[in-house]
Amino acid sequence: MEEEDISEEELEKCRERKAEYDPVMMAHCLENKWRHDLVHAKYDRSSVKLYDERGLLDDKTVLFHTVYLSDAHLDLLAENGCSVVHCPLSNLGSGAGLAKVKEMLDKGINVCLGTDYAHTDLWEVMRFTYYLLKIRAEVSRFTAEDVFQMAAANGAKAYRMDKEIGQIGEGRCADLVFIKKDLSFFPLLEKGDFSTILHNLLLYGKEDCIRHVMVDGKWVMKDRKMVTVDEEALNEKFAEVTEGFFRYLNKEWGR
């Protein structure tokens, strides 16, 4: 649900569907000030408070962005076991602001990571998440492991799939990413509790270091070539659709 679409009718529909199907509920939430102000002007309360009053906050609630969360909102999300999708690049690029990720994590809220819109570079999202945590908390408070947790296991938990995906383990889906060891990752050191592996991978990882990808035990990419689709035909179709979309926009905007 988008906050600009919130109405008594839509809230009631969500409540009824939740009662009937108990689904995972996803919603953009307090992404920027104008959406925050829009809901307040109409209901004299936030979207988070509205969701709570309608019984829509629980461990199957996934809220995106949440830049304008108050301390009271944080408590509501923590008490109800909600998840938040943190989209730092989107929030910074749009000027929306900085989400209170440190405070969310301190309260035990399940925070995962998102890219938003057409931007899909999760490496960059992970790095920005790490850098922002470093300047919002004690320098040793958060590690690269915390960020990888948000990128993988926490995302699986948000969608109630943490028994199937998000980690490597017996009985879980074989979702594996094979990364080529690059000189930029060095020095790779590991002794006792000290390791540079995840830290260096986070800081210097990029999409072209991923050589193979397996999903549920089946190869989808080998040697950086897609094996489940005709990549060339897909790219041609994508270019065709994109070109048509921009022609439509130019026509609508009178250009």
Side-chain angles (χ1 to χ4, degrees):
M1 181 187 295
E2 300 287 353
E3 281 160 315
E4 53 266 42
D5 297 329
I6 289 178
S7 66
E8 288 297 338
E9 182 182 3
E10 289 301 315
L11 288 168
E12 181 60 19
K13 282 182 182 178
C14 287
R15 192 192 65 76
E16 290 174 354
R17 287 167 183 162
K18 183 167 186 60
E20 184 173 0
Y21 302 109
D22 193 26
V24 172
M25 174 186 144
M26 298 175 286
H28 276 68
C29 181
L30 298 172
E31 178 181 358
N32 46 44
K33 190 174 187 303
W34 74 263
R35 284 195 170 102
H36 168 278
D37 293 348
L38 182 70
V39 178
H40 262 275
K42 190 173 181 180
Y43 293 97
D44 194 30
R45 53 178 54 77
S46 69
S47 54
V48 171
K49 186 63 176 173
L50 282 171
Y51 298 151
D52 183 51
E53 291 172 352
R54 300 308 195 280
L56 297 174
L57 293 185
D58 59 21
D59 60 356
K60 287 187 176 181
T61 304
V62 183
L63 302 176
F64 293 78
H65 298 289
T66 64
V67 172
Y68 277 80
L69 286 182
S70 67
D71 290 342
H73 294 145
L74 289 170
D75 289 337
L76 278 176
L77 298 189
E79 289 165 9
N80 287 283
C82 304
S83 294
V84 166
V85 180
H86 177 42
C87 306
L89 288 179
S90 172
N91 296 340
L92 290 169
S94 68
L98 300 177
K100 297 179 178 179
V101 178
K102 172 192 176 297
E103 291 80 0
M104 294 182 211
L105 294 173
D106 285 344
K107 288 182 178 292
I109 295 172
N110 183 55
V111 180
C112 38
L113 300 182
T115 56
D116 203 26
Y117 191 52
H119 181 91
T120 58
D121 189 344
L122 193 60
W123 289 109
E124 194 175 10
V125 169
M126 291 169 66
R127 275 191 286 274
F128 266 80
T129 299
Y130 181 74
Y131 296 148
L132 291 172
L133 284 171
K134 285 297 182 182
I135 64 173
R136 297 291 295 274
E138 301 81 3
V139 70
S140 59
R141 169 68 175 82
F142 297 104
T143 67
E145 185 174 353
D146 295 311
V147 177
F148 274 95
Q149 183 85 8
M150 284 187 265
N154 290 9
K157 181 180 179 181
Y159 292 95
R160 305 300 295 270
M161 299 180 70
D162 47 313
K163 296 291 188 287
E164 305 165 44
I165 63 174
Q167 299 182 58
I168 297 174
E170 185 177 350
R172 297 176 186 270
C173 297
D175 295 345
L176 304 172
V177 174
F178 295 81
I179 298 173
K180 181 181 179 181
K181 190 184 296 183
D182 189 278
L183 287 176
S184 63
F185 295 151
F186 286 81
L188 295 175
L189 306 173
E190 191 163 22
K191 185 174 183 180
D193 293 333
F194 177 79
S195 173
T196 65
I197 295 174
L198 280 183
H199 177 270
N200 290 6
L201 187 60
L202 174 63
L203 292 194
Y204 309 117
K206 49 189 181 297
E207 69 171 40
D208 61 8
C209 72
I210 298 175
R211 305 305 302 174
H212 320 298
V213 177
M214 177 181 285
V215 176
D216 199 13
K218 299 177 182 178
W219 294 111
V220 297
M221 184 175 81
K222 290 203 74 174
D223 294 318
R224 297 199 54 76
K225 296 293 183 183
M226 301 298 294
V227 298
T228 58
V229 297
D230 184 334
E231 194 169 1
E232 185 175 338
L234 188 64
N235 287 334
E236 288 176 0
K237 187 62 177 178
F238 176 77
E240 178 186 331
V241 171
T242 303
E243 185 179 348
F245 175 67
F246 284 122
R247 278 202 305 268
Y248 167 78
L249 288 182
N250 286 333
K251 183 179 178 181
E252 289 293 304
W253 293 344
R255 293 182 181 179

